[in-house]
Amino acid sequence: TLGLPDNAAAEPGSGPRVTYDLISRDYGDGFNAPLLVTVDIIRTLDPIGVMKDLGADLGEIDGVRAIALTTPNRKADLGVVQLIPEKGQTDPATSELVQAIRDAAPGLEQKYDVTDLVVTGQTAATIDISQRLADALLPFALVVMIVNVRCHAPGSRCHDSYSPANSRRPPSPRWNQTGRRSVFAPTHSK
């Protein structure tokens, strides 16, 4: 993936970079890239227990350093798990972790009778955007290359059709009935 930058790419000495460096040094790169997992828990009769167990299962996935939070919301219809990956946002291991959680979602939904388990948050969104950009880059590059090769092939008319000498010229001015020059005057005479 392209790996959109995080604060590790900020200017050295700037506030965001100093904060990033201190967190990475003291806690690890993953603490700069927390992931949120949300899940619809409306059908459960034990929202706190389900969230605790779901958090424990998510913590067993390779690449998870810690589970920072597992909780239902006040209405007990949505659960949130904040987990800390072992690696930072731009590390391929974090992208693999996001995919592993998504792959595990159907089994976890069935196990706990919950729905819509989704990995979200800034880190997951950045990973998704990076992947979409990477997926679009190759087709775009191919189109540019094909057009370039086609236009530079012997006998190609690409350059002729776009040259200023062959472009349509604006209509020449004509005299209107009042004796003034006008581009929009009719071309027929009376």
Side-chain angles (χ1 to χ4, degrees):
T1 63
L2 293 175
L4 292 175
D6 55 13
N7 284 337
E11 183 179 336
S14 67
R17 176 65 181 270
V18 169
T19 302
Y20 180 91
D21 290 341
L22 289 172
I23 291 171
S24 292
R25 183 191 72 202
D26 293 346
Y27 301 102
D29 289 337
F31 278 84
N32 280 308
L35 296 170
L36 292 177
V37 176
T38 61
V39 62
D40 184 333
I41 58 172
I42 191 81
R43 297 189 299 202
T44 184
L45 298 176
D46 182 16
I48 294 172
V50 164
M51 291 310 301
K52 180 182 173 195
D53 294 342
L54 179 62
D57 281 353
L58 289 169
E60 296 297 317
I61 297 175
D62 286 340
V64 175
R65 178 167 179 170
I67 299 296
L69 172 73
T70 60
T71 187
N73 66 355
R74 287 184 185 201
K75 293 185 199 176
D77 60 356
L78 180 75
V80 177
V81 178
Q82 182 186 31
L83 59 91
I84 308 300
E86 291 176 351
K87 304 290 183 179
Q89 173 179 298
T90 58
D91 193 296
T94 303
S95 182
E96 292 168 10
L97 173 60
V98 168
Q99 190 57 52
I101 295 169
R102 289 176 176 160
D103 292 344
L108 293 170
E109 288 173 354
Q110 185 175 5
K111 180 178 180 178
Y112 293 108
D113 193 27
V114 296
T115 58
D116 299 326
L117 191 144
V118 178
V119 185
T120 187
Q122 180 180 341
T123 299
T126 301
I127 289 168
D128 292 343
I129 291 167
S130 294
Q131 187 59 51
R132 286 187 181 209
L133 289 172
D135 291 347
L137 188 60
L138 181 61
F140 176 75
L142 286 173
V143 168
V144 170
M145 288 173 44
I146 289 169
V147 169
N148 191 26
V149 167
R150 184 174 177 267
C151 285
H152 288 89
S156 170
R157 295 182 48 105
C158 288
H159 295 293
D160 295 340
S161 63
Y162 294 112
S163 70
N166 292 333
S167 65
R168 279 189 73 151
R169 293 190 177 127
S172 61
R174 304 202 191 307
W175 294 98
N176 66 17
Q177 293 176 352
T178 63
R180 296 189 183 144
R181 286 172 46 128
S182 171
V183 173
F184 304 107
T187 58
H188 64 280
S189 60
K190 290 187 178 184

